[in-house]
Amino acid sequence: MRDQDFWCVIFVIGFCFQPLVLSSQNLTCNLNDLNALEGFMGGLQSTLGNWGRNFSDDCCKWAGITCNSSFSLGLDDSVDSYRVVELDLSSRRLYGNLSESLGNLVQLRALNLSHNFLKNSLPASLFQLPNLEYLDLSSNDFSGPIPVDFNLPSILSLDISQNLLNGSIPQSICVNSTRLQVLKLAVNYLSGSLPKSLANCSSLEAIRLSTNSLSGGVPEGIYQLQKLTRLTIQRNKLTGPLSKEVGNLINLTRLDISTNWFSGTIPDVFHSLRRLQFFVAHSNNFSGPIPHSLSSSPTISFLNVRNNSLDGPIDLNCSAMTSLVSLDLGSNWFDGVIPSNLPTCRRLNNINLARNNMSGQIPDSFKDFHTLSYFSLSNASYSNLSSALHILQQCQNLTTLILTMNFYDEELPADPNLHFPRLKVFILANSRLTGSIPQWLSKSSRLQLLDISWNCLEGTVPAWFGNFTNLFYLDISNNTFTGEIPRSLTGLQSLIDGNFSSVPEPSPDFPLFQKKNVSARGLQYNQVWSFPPTLELSNNNFSGQIWPEFGNLKSLHVLDLKCNNLSGPIPSSFSNMVSLETLDLSHNKLSGIIPSSLIRLSFLSKFSVADNQLEGEIPNGGQFGTFPNSSFEGNNLCSDHAPPCPSKVHTYLDQTRKSRMNVFGVEYRGVVIGIAVGFVFGVSCFIVTDRYVWTWHF
């Protein structure tokens, strides 16, 4: 059952209750239910509006409560009364513990306390309610194990996801709760194996156990749950092969087993899974080729087997794969060339083939690949960059192009006829490319992220870079650019107002990497908008001053200008870059002082001005106390991170003199009094004492 379908069921239940609710003004809330609710209220550390006897003696009038009469529920009560059948207090900012008294609401059908701040253990009595059909305790801070004695014979949907629960999933979960349709225990700290008793819940339609520490294999009984439409067990420690019995799950639409320790080959059973749309198996230890039934599935729309050990040539039957939208085969051992038939996958718009053993050139057939939006070929051995760009420019919907670590030692084409009008992300780094920044790039006016770092590009950076109104991430570091930093960069609109028009995401999980050097492991970002707003201009030959107008970039997080030939002062206007987290000006020829206004940069966590020609006192306050001494070395600076400033040394000596004078002040005043009282004795005392005092100081 889909989530929305279940809500429809709950709505129907509630709708059926409605005509009977409050049908008689003579009926009142059942006393047992009233006491149970007061016990629940007593466990909270926060107050509930419109609750309690001060509000009304009739608990059915309290907020979030739905009641029904005993008679309508078919109860053989001697006195007809209202019974609590639904309690919905989701997103009420509730704090505190969940009382065992809720277990006394024996007629409760639906309980929703999700998205609150409830904590500590789950009450065991809650898992003994005979009529409970819907239980949602998700997005709280519950801890400890799920109660072992699990007996909810009427339960249809159970959601305890996004808490702090530990221990194992009770083996009794489907012994007496065989009507269960939706099970959600994701994002906890659960461990141990998957219960074999899950096979008894033959009505299960959705199992969501992702982001725990579950281990062992998948019980064979799970593969007999033929009503199952969604099985998401990613981000655990599950092992073993993926059984061919998975082909029995004929109603499955989403299967996510990613980020586990599954191994062996992917079973060739996808011809049986005629409703499967999402197959996500990345970050496992699968080997061998893509099975034929998977590479010709007419229903698969998202196929992600990235980061495994799959091998062989890529052979997709695009005439059969009519639903394929997103294809991620990155970080495997695939070899051969890029399949020329990919443009015939008529709905395919996202492709990641990065980090494989493929080579060759971009097929000429890609000129007709009009659906292609996201294309990554990084970390391979492709050649002929000029041909690649001339072909790919004809992909009319191309927005993201990642070609890093290919086309080694080739020249960045300067053909003015090249044009990528929809391009938002262009990454062509670490390829030892020669040449200069081409004029044709200026026509890609929608650029948001541009990375051409770690190449051998030279010349000046053109002023038209400032025309990229959506550009929030620019990395041209580790080249040999010369001249001044374009003043126009200080006017990048997205870094001034922070309006980053987000790039449409190519898939739920297409990785991008940010590398700080050639050998280091890259930082992975799964969405373009998660990259920090950055101007990375380091390790070039830029000269001239640093423009004061950089202070206009209030949304900039990273400014890296290290290892250039910049001179002049550090602008005090830098303090206006209120979002700045990293500022690196080291290894330049900057002079003057470090502006004291920089202490106002409250988010600054990395700062370096090492190896410049700065002098004066290092500012004291703000984040400056957290920076290491190495951030300031190689200058003529003084203060806590360097030798003491001369003025402070003099101040220290003066204070020392004064303190020592105070020690002997009584003796000195005694000399004056002695002179007044007796001349001879006074003179003698003065000579002795005066000599004594001066000898102490010098």
Side-chain angles (χ1 to χ4, degrees):
M1 179 184 295
R2 296 173 301 175
D3 292 349
Q4 56 265 42
D5 294 337
F6 187 82
W7 276 106
C8 291
V9 171
I10 296 301
F11 174 77
V12 171
I13 293 173
F15 181 78
C16 293
F17 290 156
Q18 281 307 114
L20 302 172
V21 174
L22 306 178
S23 58
S24 170
Q25 296 300 320
N26 298 322
L27 300 184
T28 59
C29 172
N30 180 274
L31 183 59
N32 290 333
D33 290 355
L34 178 62
N35 291 334
L37 292 171
E38 288 184 325
F40 162 69
M41 189 167 52
L44 300 178
Q45 298 171 353
S46 52
T47 58
L48 267 171
N50 297 337
W51 262 61
R53 297 197 190 204
N54 292 334
F55 173 71
S56 173
D57 290 330
D58 186 357
C59 70
C60 295
K61 295 181 180 179
W62 297 0
I65 292 179
T66 302
C67 294
N68 207 348
S69 70
S70 300
F71 178 79
S72 67
L73 294 173
L75 301 179
D76 189 18
D77 289 351
S78 57
V79 178
D80 195 14
S81 61
Y82 290 143
R83 305 306 302 267
V84 175
V85 294
E86 182 176 347
L87 176 58
D88 186 350
L89 295 174
S90 60
S91 303
R92 295 293 186 97
R93 301 188 66 83
L94 301 180
Y95 293 83
N97 302 321
L98 202 53
S99 171
E100 289 280 356
S101 68
L102 283 179
N104 295 325
L105 296 174
V106 294
Q107 296 304 318
L108 196 65
R109 267 63 173 174
L111 174 61
N112 187 354
L113 299 175
S114 64
H115 298 279
N116 283 294
F117 301 94
L118 301 171
K119 61 183 180 179
N120 293 327
S121 60
L122 297 171
S125 62
L126 201 58
F127 294 85
Q128 302 292 319
L129 290 171
N131 296 299
L132 191 64
E133 298 177 350
Y134 175 82
L135 176 59
D136 190 349
L137 303 176
S138 64
S139 300
N140 278 284
D141 295 319
F142 291 117
S143 58
I146 301 173
V148 174
D149 192 6
F150 195 99
N151 184 20
L152 296 173
S154 301
I155 196 72
L156 298 175
S157 177
L158 173 65
D159 189 352
I160 327 178
S161 58
Q162 297 187 19
N163 279 283
L164 306 172
L165 300 173
N166 55 29
S168 58
I169 301 174
Q171 293 294 328
S172 60
I173 194 167
C174 280
V175 173
N176 296 317
S177 306
T178 56
R179 297 181 61 195
L180 188 63
Q181 297 175 359
V182 177
L183 176 62
K184 300 180 181 179
L185 304 177
V187 195
N188 280 289
Y189 296 95
L190 300 173
S191 58
S193 59
L194 297 177
K196 294 181 179 179
S197 66
L198 287 174
N200 298 332
C201 289
S202 57
S203 297
L204 268 171
E205 298 180 6
I207 298 177
R208 299 182 179 181
L209 306 176
S210 64
T211 318
N212 282 287
S213 296
L214 301 171
S215 57
V218 177
E220 291 293 318
I222 286 183
Y223 299 126
Q224 307 307 316
L225 301 174
Q226 293 197 355
K227 292 184 179 180
L228 202 62
T229 62
R230 184 183 294 250
L231 177 59
T232 54
I233 52 177
Q234 69 271 24
R235 292 189 291 279
N236 280 288
K237 300 176 182 178
L238 300 172
T239 58
L242 178 61
S243 172
K244 64 180 181 180
E245 299 299 316
V246 72
N248 295 329
L249 303 177
I250 57 176
N251 287 301
L252 207 60
T253 61
R254 181 186 289 267
L255 176 59
D256 193 338
I257 58 173
S258 62
T259 318
N260 279 289
W261 296 342
F262 290 112
S263 57
T265 59
I266 299 174
D268 194 7
V269 295
F270 290 86
H271 54 276
S272 300
L273 304 176
R274 298 180 178 178
R275 297 185 179 181
L276 189 65
Q277 300 173 18
F278 297 83
F279 180 57
V280 184
H282 70 77
S283 305
N284 280 286
N285 295 316
F286 288 119
S287 57
I290 300 174
H292 175 73
S293 60
L294 180 57
S295 62
S296 58
S297 169
T299 60
I300 290 287
S301 58
F302 286 84
L303 174 57
N304 186 343
V305 291
R306 183 184 78 246
N307 196 23
N308 281 284
S309 297
L310 301 173
D311 55 25
I314 297 173
D315 185 15
L316 300 184
N317 184 356
C318 280
S319 61
M321 302 190 78
T322 55
S323 301
L324 187 63
V325 172
S326 181
L327 176 67
D328 192 345
L329 306 180
S331 299
N332 279 286
W333 295 101
F334 293 116
D335 54 28
V337 298
I338 300 173
S340 60
N341 69 329
L342 288 181
T344 63
C345 291
R346 60 191 185 196
R347 297 187 61 193
L348 183 58
N349 54 46
N350 305 314
I351 300 176
N352 180 19
L353 302 178
R355 297 173 181 247
N356 279 288
N357 288 333
M358 302 171 69
S359 59
Q361 301 184 21
I362 307 296
D364 194 63
S365 59
F366 273 48
K367 290 179 179 178
D368 300 319
F369 209 158
H370 300 311
T371 59
L372 186 62
S373 175
Y374 177 103
F375 192 34
S376 175
L377 293 179
S378 64
N379 296 58
S381 299
Y382 298 105
S383 59
N384 201 341
L385 177 58
S386 178
S387 173
L389 293 178
H390 279 87
I391 291 171
L392 293 173
Q393 72 169 338
Q394 299 184 57
C395 300
Q396 299 172 357
N397 291 296
L398 189 63
T399 61
T400 301
L401 181 57
I402 304 173
L403 302 175
T404 292
M405 296 182 72
N406 287 289
F407 313 107
Y408 285 108
D409 301 310
E410 296 188 26
E411 184 176 0
L412 186 58
D415 185 353
N417 294 320
L418 286 171
H419 187 29
F420 292 86
R422 295 181 178 270
L423 201 60
K424 295 182 178 181
V425 177
F426 184 43
I427 304 177
L428 183 51
N430 203 1
S431 299
R432 301 196 302 261
L433 297 176
T434 61
S436 58
I437 296 177
Q439 180 68 29
W440 58 263
L441 195 59
S442 66
K443 295 180 287 186
S444 299
S445 58
R446 302 185 184 186
L447 271 178
Q448 296 178 325
L449 187 154
L450 175 63
D451 184 353
I452 51 174
S453 62
W454 294 96
N455 284 297
C456 301
L457 302 174
E458 57 186 6
T460 60
V461 176
W464 45 257
F465 265 44
N467 298 333
F468 292 134
T469 56
N470 296 315
L471 188 68
F472 72 91
Y473 187 97
L474 173 64
D475 189 349
I476 58 174
S477 65
N478 295 279
N479 283 283
T480 55
F481 294 121
T482 56
E484 292 185 327
I485 296 174
R487 197 167 195 161
S488 60
L489 290 182
T490 67
L492 287 171
Q493 196 60 40
S494 62
L495 296 178
I496 294 175
D497 56 29
N499 287 329
F500 312 131
S501 54
S502 61
V503 178
E505 293 308 317
S507 81
D509 184 17
F510 264 45
L512 296 168
F513 292 88
Q514 179 193 51
K515 291 176 72 71
K516 291 298 184 182
N517 57 60
V518 175
S519 59
R521 181 179 177 85
L523 299 175
Q524 179 174 327
Y525 297 90
N526 289 335
Q527 292 85 27
V528 169
W529 52 263
S530 62
F531 273 77
T534 295
L535 289 179
E536 174 61 83
L537 311 179
S538 65
N539 291 281
N540 281 286
N541 291 319
F542 289 119
S543 57
Q545 64 173 313
I546 300 177
W547 304 112
E549 291 84 355
F550 272 114
N552 297 331
L553 306 181
K554 299 182 185 299
S555 298
L556 187 65
H557 288 195
V558 177
L559 178 60
D560 193 345
L561 305 178
K562 69 173 177 289
C563 298
N564 281 288
N565 291 311
L566 300 171
S567 58
I570 299 174
S572 60
S573 59
F574 272 16
S575 61
N576 296 327
M577 292 189 284
V578 293
S579 301
L580 204 60
E581 299 173 3
T582 297
L583 177 60
D584 196 338
L585 307 175
S586 62
H587 302 281
N588 279 285
K589 298 178 181 178
L590 301 174
S591 57
I593 64 170
I594 301 175
S596 59
S597 60
L598 297 187
I599 65 173
R600 298 203 297 265
L601 296 175
S602 56
F603 294 108
L604 196 63
S605 59
K606 182 179 178 182
F607 175 80
S608 181
V609 291
D611 294 306
N612 278 283
Q613 299 169 10
L614 300 169
E615 58 186 8
E617 186 174 354
I618 297 172
N620 184 24
Q623 293 291 94
F624 274 75
T626 67
F627 303 140
N629 293 347
S630 58
S631 296
F632 306 95
E633 63 187 11
N635 290 282
N636 190 26
L637 295 167
C638 60
S639 194
D640 295 339
H641 295 278
C645 297
S647 59
K648 288 193 173 183
V649 173
H650 293 156
T651 301
Y652 171 77
L653 292 174
D654 290 344
Q655 291 174 345
T656 303
R657 290 190 185 100
K658 290 179 180 178
S659 64
R660 290 171 176 171
M661 285 291 289
N662 287 335
V663 171
F664 295 95
V666 174
E667 296 182 37
Y668 189 81
R669 286 194 297 272
V671 171
V672 177
I673 296 172
I675 293 173
V677 173
F679 177 78
V680 174
F681 177 79
V683 169
S684 301
C685 185
F686 175 78
I687 294 172
V688 173
T689 308
D690 184 53
R691 179 173 182 152
Y692 180 76
V693 171
W694 282 94
T695 303
W696 176 267
H697 284 296
F698 295 99

